[in-house]
Amino acid sequence: MSSLSSFATISTPPSSLKRAAFFPSRPSSYFAFPADIRFCRLRVKCSYAEAGVREDSNSATIDVVADVKTERVVVLGGSGFVGSAICKAAVSKGIEVISLSRTGRPSYSDPWVDQVTWLSGDVFYANWDEVLRGAAAVVSTLGGFGSEEQMQRINGEANVVAVTAAKNFGIPKFILISVHDYNLPSFLLQSGYFTGKRKAESEVLSNYPTTGVVLRPAFIYGKRRVDGFEVPLDLIGEPAERFLNAVENFTKPLNSLPGSDLILAPPISVDDVALAVINAVVDDDFFGIFTIEQIKEAAAKVRV
């Protein structure tokens, strides 16, 4: 499954990233950015002199002022495993980040943590005016395991609330971390976990038909912090990913077997998921549903 979490954040596509085989191209005027999105003002002084005039003569000075827009992204569940990787990647790309999660600021003190605005709260009771003001995109990593009712609520209803709020506030883009279906039989996909995720996907794509992004990773690996300890999921995930990629041509005939992807779907690095999100934020032509391989391709586009 994507990444195991108890009601914190969890996670989970066109060979060509001209992407969104599922939707038509987005008109350039589809959305207008909120009026209060932040701008940086750069002032440059330039002096000039007409031809034939000596440099030390009285030449006029021109003030040039340029407004440079900085992206602002809201990450729901930003203190979780996947959410924190997204926050870190966004900061590294110069994107302003606001995180909303139940726990607020994480307990560890990596340098990038100080560059994120950490808000503590629940999406069902959030002050969206405070959270969403000036945002260019919302990224949701909300999800978890539990009873059927709990999974429907956290995987489905919580995301529906977030999408509705983002739409009402005129946020141009919504990005959802969903989950690969593992080629499971339909009766297994009726669990609250999967039905909640698919309900959230439907809400994103119906409200954001030409700007909504749904990423469907399989098992996500990386170094995960749990109660102050670091769990090295990459010790399992990275070798498994390399092996499954190496034998892909041999295992293709098995892909049609129900549930085969529980074994054959390659794991994916949390860093790849985070970079794919950054691609989605900065690329207006990036929208639709993205599979495991397409997530990796998207990540490669922005990896330095």
Side-chain angles (χ1 to χ4, degrees):
M1 321 295 68
S2 293
S3 58
L4 302 181
S5 166
S6 296
F7 311 115
T9 50
I10 69 161
S11 80
T12 305
S15 282
S16 148
L17 290 178
K18 229 37 171 152
R19 299 160 304 233
F22 313 99
F23 305 103
S25 296
R26 178 174 77 107
S28 59
S29 61
Y30 187 80
F31 283 112
F33 282 95
D36 60 350
I37 193 166
R38 287 192 181 178
F39 286 83
C40 297
R41 297 181 65 81
L42 304 179
R43 183 175 294 273
V44 181
K45 282 198 172 183
C46 306
S47 59
Y48 74 95
E50 294 180 3
V53 179
R54 290 169 33 182
E55 276 186 28
D56 59 350
S57 64
N58 239 350
S59 53
T61 299
I62 305 173
D63 283 346
V64 179
V65 178
D67 286 333
V68 181
K69 178 170 64 66
T70 59
E71 302 282 7
R72 179 188 295 173
V73 172
V74 173
V75 181
L76 304 179
S79 57
F81 173 47
V82 176
S84 60
I86 294 170
C87 291
K88 180 180 179 179
V91 166
S92 74
K93 299 295 182 181
I95 298 172
E96 181 185 356
V97 183
I98 296 172
S99 166
L100 174 68
S101 64
R102 291 184 178 181
T103 56
R105 183 187 177 98
S107 56
Y108 50 90
S109 56
D110 290 351
W112 64 268
V113 172
D114 292 332
Q115 300 180 58
V116 175
T117 300
W118 302 97
L119 302 178
S120 179
D122 188 310
V123 293
F124 289 104
Y125 312 104
N127 179 356
W128 292 112
D129 185 61
E130 175 190 9
V131 175
L132 298 178
R133 184 182 293 117
V138 173
V139 183
S140 176
T141 67
L142 301 176
F145 293 96
S147 68
E148 285 293 303
E149 182 181 355
Q150 289 170 326
M151 290 189 292
Q152 284 281 4
R153 180 171 171 82
I154 192 64
N155 294 319
E157 295 169 19
N159 282 304
V160 170
V161 167
V163 173
T164 301
K167 184 69 173 179
N168 289 341
F169 274 80
I171 307 303
K173 179 170 285 193
F174 199 102
I175 302 161
L176 174 71
I177 310 300
S178 189
V179 65
H180 184 60
D181 64 13
Y182 295 96
N183 199 25
L184 292 172
S186 58
F187 73 91
L188 290 178
L189 294 174
Q190 298 308 307
S191 74
Y193 180 79
F194 286 103
T195 57
K197 285 288 189 181
R198 297 302 177 249
K199 180 178 181 179
E201 290 184 7
S202 177
E203 195 73 11
V204 171
L205 299 176
S206 62
N207 281 278
Y208 291 89
T210 57
T211 59
V213 177
V214 173
L215 303 184
R216 288 181 175 177
F219 175 75
I220 300 176
Y221 67 84
K223 289 181 171 57
R224 179 170 191 161
R225 289 183 170 94
V226 180
D227 295 330
F229 296 95
E230 197 172 74
V231 181
L233 298 176
D234 50 331
L235 294 182
I236 299 173
E238 190 171 359
E241 180 185 14
R242 290 178 179 175
F243 173 76
L244 290 170
N245 287 336
V247 300
E248 181 181 9
N249 291 334
F250 301 100
T251 59
K252 277 183 179 177
L254 302 176
N255 289 346
S256 59
L257 296 176
S260 58
D261 276 0
L262 287 170
I263 298 173
L264 301 179
I268 186 168
S269 164
V270 70
D271 294 331
D272 279 347
V273 174
L275 288 174
V277 168
I278 302 306
N279 195 352
V281 169
V282 302
D283 186 351
D284 288 341
D285 291 327
F286 190 104
F287 60 94
I289 299 174
F290 291 78
T291 63
I292 300 167
E293 188 57 37
Q294 291 161 343
I295 294 171
K296 295 177 182 178
E297 292 176 10
K301 294 286 184 180
V302 294
R303 180 178 288 109
V304 176

